[in-house]
Amino acid sequence: MDYGVYFGKEQVGKVQVQRQGLYYRFTCRCRISGDVMCRLWVSSGDKRENLGLVVPMDGGFGLNTSLPVKRLGEGELTFTLLPKHDAPTGKFVPISPEEPFAYIERLKEAYLVRKGEQVGIELPE
């Protein structure tokens, strides 16, 4: 199934989504200037996932990746591009090997980020 990719209110490309067993397979192609590195985000209901950076591909920009269906559910999908540093706001939790990690049960909805020298996870609010 094909979906539009939006940068703000403008449709800049398409994502082809194929269900392959327990995974969604995403093939994205879009036309952007390339002045700013952008991440492709997918939303389904109240769940949102970062699919990664779009990179130069096929004369435009694109991304090929997979994601477990259980991370998104089976609702209607919407796709947006956001500048790399404009990630949806969330809670940053630093990771330290010397300290116990209190958010282990929320790792499925988090993603790894680096803020300066500190590595941590970003949890959705």
Side-chain angles (χ1 to χ4, degrees):
M1 182 173 267
D2 288 345
Y3 295 88
V5 176
Y6 292 87
F7 189 65
K9 295 191 183 293
E10 180 184 355
Q11 183 174 344
V12 293
K14 293 190 179 206
V15 176
Q16 183 180 45
V17 180
Q18 294 176 308
R19 173 93 185 243
Q20 296 177 336
L22 298 175
Y23 288 84
Y24 285 127
R25 175 86 182 134
F26 302 99
T27 305
C28 172
R29 297 294 181 270
C30 52
R31 299 165 315 282
I32 55 176
S33 68
D35 294 339
V36 176
M37 293 176 60
C38 291
R39 293 187 184 278
L40 179 64
W41 292 84
V42 59
S43 301
S44 175
D46 62 345
K47 296 182 180 181
R48 184 174 188 145
E49 291 287 333
N50 171 9
L51 295 178
L53 288 171
V54 292
V55 296
M57 189 179 288
D58 298 336
F61 285 81
L63 171 75
N64 298 324
T65 191
S66 296
L67 188 72
V69 170
K70 69 179 182 177
R71 299 249 313 256
L72 283 177
E74 302 209 27
E76 183 67 24
L77 303 176
T78 56
F79 295 88
T80 54
L81 284 175
L82 288 175
K84 178 181 174 184
H85 299 294
D86 287 357
T89 58
K91 178 180 180 183
F92 177 75
V93 179
I95 297 173
S96 174
E98 298 86 29
E99 297 176 21
F101 189 69
Y103 295 91
I104 198 90
E105 72 282 351
R106 295 194 58 196
L107 280 179
K108 287 183 180 178
E109 60 193 66
Y111 59 94
L112 190 66
V113 294
R114 178 184 299 269
K115 292 195 175 184
E117 294 296 313
Q118 182 66 55
V119 174
I121 63 166
E122 189 85 26
L123 294 168
E125 291 285 345

